[in-house]
Amino acid sequence: VESYGGKFYVFLQPNFALGAPKTDYLKLSKSDQAQGRQFQAIHPIVLRLLAEKRIDYVYDLTKALDGNTPYLIDYVHLGPAGNKVIAEQMAKTIAAQ
């Protein structure tokens, strides 16, 4: 991307286990719940490593869906309203650069 004059961005995406999104309506399997625990265990490690290495092109959107609106359609996929929130957050981040 940068070799063509662009700027590279990475966005950590939300899911049911990170942040505080509305999830009470989701039918989460034991496998989904186990994966959620993995997300919760790995996420702080990723953030720590990014900070230690001073990587400044990664943006954490894992709290973008916090609240009482049901954005998720399963443990990781978003419906149209959730996609809109993430797209707006990404655009806002990029515009601020």
Side-chain angles (χ1 to χ4, degrees):
V1 170
E2 292 176 346
S3 68
Y4 287 97
K7 182 166 166 114
F8 183 67
Y9 296 88
V10 174
F11 295 94
L12 301 178
Q13 297 291 311
N15 63 55
F16 84 97
L18 298 176
K22 182 173 179 61
T23 60
D24 60 343
Y25 62 96
L26 295 175
K27 292 180 173 73
L28 300 170
S29 70
K30 287 185 180 188
S31 175
D32 297 339
Q33 293 171 18
Q35 190 161 9
R37 289 188 295 278
Q38 290 175 355
F39 291 141
Q40 291 168 339
I42 296 298
H43 185 255
I45 296 168
V46 169
L47 294 179
R48 180 179 49 81
L49 290 171
L50 291 169
E52 285 175 5
K53 296 183 182 292
R54 300 186 198 287
I55 296 174
D56 62 357
Y57 55 83
V58 179
Y59 299 88
D60 187 4
L61 299 184
T62 58
K63 296 182 181 190
L65 303 180
D66 287 3
N68 291 318
T69 303
Y71 293 116
L72 295 152
I73 58 174
D74 63 23
Y75 75 109
V76 293
H77 296 100
L78 308 178
N83 283 322
K84 182 179 180 189
V85 169
I86 297 305
E88 288 171 349
Q89 289 290 317
M90 291 170 70
K92 181 179 174 183
T93 299
I94 291 168
Q97 302 304 308

